[in-house]
């Protein structure tokens, strides 16, 4: 068995994923989510795909093409969330409106990916819950996780990484669909090689809106760091987090949209509400 497949299988085993569970894979058209769907399918799991069409011009068109191709290849059902139809505007328009209002009110900038990430997460949870799935599978890999931990360290908020792992903890919130990350221990470079070796339908070009994000700065910083050391970032953060891990703050729902939220109003409603 391929080394990557072996690691993937071990992670699935540690998650304790049962073949009866319905898993919706968040498909972006990129290599990571494509490999997740391909391997879950290969291992005989019950999967469906969900793609959020962000309407970021040509980039989104190409991503959608690859997702459709993959679903045909795996004979997998595809659910499409069209942002323009569902939310009234595509990501670029919505994001610009939020950024303009945010700047007017707070005189500070809010980065593209920070807005897009919050909105995508909100859509994903709501849409997958509507599909009555047991899990959302995402394509987060070892590099993503090491970046997130360092971002939180630099922001002085390592505790924000407490819930991160191969499966989301603190799932007492009934509206929150547990997320699994089967590529958690696999390096980005190995995923790319694997997707190419297996000739998977992948859009390899990056998102044109991914400019000036904090994550990109951290990614560049980690670029030359060997995989072993990235694994160490994760291992050591787990040790430290054991000391800072906070108890669950209980179930909370957004007073505006009713979705799971850390505060009275969820992050998505705070952002969208700014331009209402
Ligand atoms: S790179 Fe940033 S803007 Fe582009 S899809 Fe991802 S989160 Fe959104
Ligand atoms: Zn809300």
């Amino acid at each position: 068995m391929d080394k990557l497949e072996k690691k993937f299988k071990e992670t699935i085993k540690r998650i304790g994923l049962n073949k009866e569970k319905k898993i919706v894979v968040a498909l972006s058209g990129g290599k990571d989510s494509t490999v997740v769907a391909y391997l879950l399918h290969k291992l005989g799991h019950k999967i469906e795909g969900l793609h959020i069409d962000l309407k970021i011009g040509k980039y989104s068109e190409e991503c959608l093409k690859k997702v459709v191709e993959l679903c045909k290849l795996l004979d997998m059902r595809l659910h499409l969330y069209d942002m323009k139809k569902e939310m009234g505007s595509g990501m670029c328009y919505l994001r610009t409106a939020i950024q303009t209002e945010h700047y007017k009110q707070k005189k500070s900038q809010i980065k593209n990916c920070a807005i897009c990430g919050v909105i995508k997460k909100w859509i994903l949870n709501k849409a997958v819950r509507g599909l009555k799935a047991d899990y959302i599978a995402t394509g987060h890999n070892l590099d993503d996780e090491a970046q997130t931990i360092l971002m939180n360290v630099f922001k002085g908020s390592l505790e924000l990484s407490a819930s991160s792992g191969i499966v989301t903890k603190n799932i007492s919130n009934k509206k929150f669909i547990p997320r699994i990350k089967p590529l958690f221990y696999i390096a980005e470079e190995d995923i790319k090689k694997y997707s190419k070796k297996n000739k998977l339908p992948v859009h390899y070009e990056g998102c044109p809106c991914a400019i000036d994000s904090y994550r990109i700065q951290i990614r560049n910083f980690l670029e030359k760091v060997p995989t072993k050391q990235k694994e160490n970032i994760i291992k050591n953060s787990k040790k430290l987090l054991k000391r800072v891990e906070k108890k669950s703050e209980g179930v909370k729902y957004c007073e505006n949209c009713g979705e799971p939220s850390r505060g009275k109003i969820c992050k998505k409603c705070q952002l969208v509400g700014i331009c209402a």
Side-chain angles (χ1 to χ4, degrees), residues 30 51 63 92 96 101 105 119 137 148-149 205 218 243 262:
H51 176 68
C63 288
C92 297
T96 310
E101 277 311 311
Q105 293 180 22
I119 294 176
T148 305
I149 289 167
E205 268 170 44
I218 302 286
R243 298 189 203 165
R262 280 202 179 125

Side-chain angles (χ1 to χ4, degrees), residues 14 121 138 140-150 152 157-170 176 179-181 184-185 215 233-235 237-239 241-242 245 262:
R14 281 169 73 178
K121 224 173 177 178
T138 66
H140 292 93
N141 58 43
L142 178 75
D143 293 70
D144 297 324
E145 296 306 319
Q147 287 157 19
T148 305
I149 289 167
L150 281 196
N152 288 333
S157 323
L158 181 62
E159 70 281 3
L160 289 178
S161 290
S163 60
S164 127
I166 53 177
V167 62
T168 38
K169 295 174 197 159
N170 187 14
F176 186 79
R179 288 160 199 260
I180 58 168
K181 298 175 184 173
F184 193 90
Y185 296 110
R215 184 174 289 277
I233 293 176
I234 291 176
K235 268 191 217 152
S237 78
K238 294 276 166 232
K239 280 187 213 159
L241 280 165
K242 274 195 184 134
E245 228 161 343
R262 280 202 179 125

Side-chain angles (χ1 to χ4, degrees), residues 122 254 256-257 266 269:
W122 182 90
C254 170
N256 185 48
C257 69
C266 76
C269 288

